[in-house]
Amino acid sequence: MDSEKIHRELGGLEDCSSFYGGSQTGSTCTINSTSTSATGVYWCQSESGEEYHPVNITVHYGVILESPVHPVTEGETLTLRCLHKLASPPILSADFYKDGSLVQNQTTEMIIPTVSKSHEGFYNCKHTARGESPKSWISVRESQISVLKILTSVLAACPYLLVTVVLIYKCCRMRSKTPE
């Protein structure tokens, strides 16, 4: 994996070490210095040409919204934070917006305990003194109940059901044989 290279959609294939002062540890590329012109879609590519998981990276100076990179699965908890690199601490108390509408005001984080498809949309945060973050798309994927999980649950319940039916049958038979 040490020979993986990072690729930018509008650029070319480069070694991680030469990419914006980056360094590579295993299959992780750390970019040390960026500018707003570094915004774009990035992915890794192996020596054999295999490409891995494209990621959209937006470089922005100022207020940013900390949000998940990958889609959130229905039923999971979603936590959003408003950050500013130069603030101490970096987490800001801010207003949170979804699709341009205020959903929560003056808090350090917005937590949705059980995400549903209706939570999908563009989110951003706004701090009164430091400014507004770019909008981030939060994607929600449907929860898939595994057929294997259902089958396992049914099979686990079968012995208990069978024992219950046998005991009821024996109990009824014994009652019918008991002299009155």
Side-chain angles (χ1 to χ4, degrees):
M1 291 260 184
D2 285 10
S3 59
E4 285 183 344
K5 296 185 184 296
I6 192 165
H7 194 281
R8 183 170 175 206
E9 184 179 43
L10 298 175
L13 197 59
E14 298 183 39
D15 287 320
C16 183
S17 59
S18 65
F19 194 78
Y20 293 106
S23 61
Q24 185 169 346
T25 306
S27 61
T28 301
C29 177
T30 303
I31 299 171
N32 299 316
S33 177
T34 61
S35 69
T36 54
S37 64
T39 296
V41 177
Y42 294 82
W43 62 89
C44 290
Q45 186 171 324
S46 67
E47 270 186 349
S48 65
E50 189 174 357
E51 296 178 353
Y52 302 95
H53 313 291
V55 177
N56 188 6
I57 297 175
T58 302
V59 180
H60 172 76
Y61 294 109
V63 177
I64 61 167
L65 180 71
E66 181 183 67
S67 61
V69 176
H70 301 291
V72 182
T73 303
E74 282 182 317
E76 289 182 348
T77 299
L78 172 63
T79 302
L80 303 174
R81 289 183 190 88
C82 199
L83 308 173
H84 191 282
K85 183 179 179 178
L86 301 178
S88 181
I91 299 174
L92 302 174
S93 183
D95 296 335
F96 290 84
Y97 294 84
K98 177 187 180 252
D99 298 325
S101 298
L102 180 67
V103 288
Q104 194 166 334
N105 61 345
Q106 292 305 303
T107 184
T108 55
E109 61 185 18
M110 183 174 127
I111 299 172
I112 301 172
T114 308
V115 173
S116 68
K117 197 70 173 163
S118 67
H119 292 108
E120 193 168 76
F122 283 102
Y123 287 80
N124 69 311
C125 62
K126 186 175 185 179
H127 184 265
T128 51
R130 297 198 181 260
E132 190 172 350
S133 73
K135 291 176 173 64
S136 295
W137 176 256
I138 302 296
S139 181
V140 179
R141 69 175 160 233
E142 292 180 6
S143 177
Q144 306 248 334
I145 297 176
S146 167
V147 173
L148 182 61
K149 284 183 182 178
I150 293 171
L151 187 59
T152 303
S153 299
V154 169
L155 289 176
C158 280
Y160 299 106
L161 185 58
L162 183 62
V163 168
T164 303
V165 169
V166 169
L167 288 174
I168 291 172
Y169 174 75
K170 285 194 172 221
C171 188
C172 288
R173 252 184 105 190
M174 285 179 66
R175 278 182 137 191
S176 65
K177 287 185 178 180
T178 307
E180 293 180 28

